[in-house]
Amino acid sequence: MTDYAFPPPNQASIGIAGSTQRFPVHRIYCVGRNFAEHALEMGAEPSKGSPVFFMKPADAVIQHEAIPYPGCTEDLHHEVELVVALGPALPAQWNAGNALQTVFGYAVGLDLTRRDLQATAKEKRLPWDTAKGFDASAPISDIVPVQQAHIDADTLLSLHVNGSQRQQACLGDMIFSITEILLALSELYVLQPGDLVFMGTPSGVAALNKGDRFHATLQGVAELRGTII
Ligand code: MN
């Protein structure tokens, strides 16, 4: 037993649909600008160059119904996203033939964003961390194991707020596929079991305010409901 000076923090984890086991979260990778219309609404040119990545801390995941409105912002934005969860069998050499075999399951999540801080950071060419990687910035559904999660190019990713549709797109609209994103990440990092990848959001990002109720769906696979408090 390691003799820690004080107890180490709890392992961040999320539920697994249809199981009493929990999925231990290692890291949260996020893809920026993976839908052309969202890139355009953010003032960027959609391109198939290199994907944009940033990270959230593992303990940013939250599965409570009540999601706290964060401090230091007056413009909290929703970004509904497909989340890819990596399982225990990761290859030594990643390639297009084995990348998808590493996927443990899929979930739907929100990449909550302090848009005002992000805008300031972009303007000053500073990092996005405080805009993206704050506490409770990653509400997420239970992970649905791949055996029960059938997704394809026509699968719809949607977000309703207070009953009105805010965002919707099909997965086929993603600029970079799951395989392409995993291969790009595997060159930048040593991917580990328990890694989550937020795959980027469609257009329609907008503000969430206290009292707003959201309902995110990955068609036929997963859903996530919550209230901003
Ligand atoms: Mn995002």
Side-chain angles (χ1 to χ4, degrees):
M1 287 285 285
T2 305
D3 183 19
Y4 292 110
F6 51 87
N10 292 331
Q11 169 66 52
S13 69
I14 48 186
I16 298 172
S19 172
T20 56
Q21 294 186 317
R22 295 188 63 79
F23 181 92
V25 181
H26 176 246
R27 289 180 184 167
I28 305 175
Y29 299 101
C30 301
V31 184
R33 302 171 192 164
N34 204 18
F35 287 83
E37 286 180 19
H38 173 62
L40 287 168
E41 75 180 349
M42 297 306 295
E45 280 296 313
S47 92
K48 184 88 188 181
S50 299
V52 176
F53 293 114
F54 58 91
M55 295 175 75
K56 292 176 187 274
D59 64 355
V61 292
I62 180 168
Q63 292 201 291
H64 297 157
E65 165 76 19
I67 307 296
Y69 195 98
C72 303
T73 185
E74 292 177 356
D75 196 20
L76 177 69
H77 269 206
H78 55 72
E79 298 191 355
V80 66
E81 309 202 2
L82 165 68
V83 182
V84 177
L86 299 190
L90 302 190
Q93 298 291 328
W94 287 75
N95 58 57
N98 65 25
L100 279 183
Q101 294 166 20
T102 67
V103 178
F104 179 90
Y106 299 105
V108 63
L110 294 186
D111 164 17
L112 292 180
T113 302
R114 287 162 162 156
R115 192 70 74 198
D116 42 2
L117 297 196
Q118 187 193 32
T120 302
K122 283 181 174 177
E123 194 180 306
K124 296 183 176 173
R125 300 188 173 199
L126 292 171
W128 293 4
D129 299 52
T130 60
K132 289 290 197 178
F134 53 91
D135 295 315
S137 60
I140 188 169
S141 71
D142 282 355
I143 292 174
V144 181
V146 282
Q147 298 80 3
Q148 295 128 272
H150 302 291
I151 63 169
D152 60 27
D154 296 325
T155 301
L156 288 171
L157 181 65
S158 309
L159 179 73
H160 288 74
V161 177
N162 301 328
S164 300
Q165 184 179 296
R166 292 275 184 94
Q167 295 187 265
Q168 186 171 75
C170 60
L171 298 183
D173 288 344
M174 291 192 298
I175 296 171
F176 296 98
S177 69
I178 296 168
T179 294
E180 289 171 323
I181 289 299
L182 293 180
L183 292 182
L185 277 172
S186 73
E187 292 181 3
L188 289 162
Y189 303 95
V190 179
L191 293 175
Q192 298 279 353
D195 285 340
L196 299 176
V197 185
F198 278 62
M199 287 291 296
T201 198
S203 62
V205 299
L208 283 170
N209 294 299
K210 286 179 188 170
D212 282 349
R213 290 194 47 76
F214 63 82
H215 181 208
T217 55
L218 178 62
Q219 184 184 25
V221 176
E223 63 177 344
L224 171 68
R225 292 174 194 273
T227 303
I228 306 297
I229 62 161

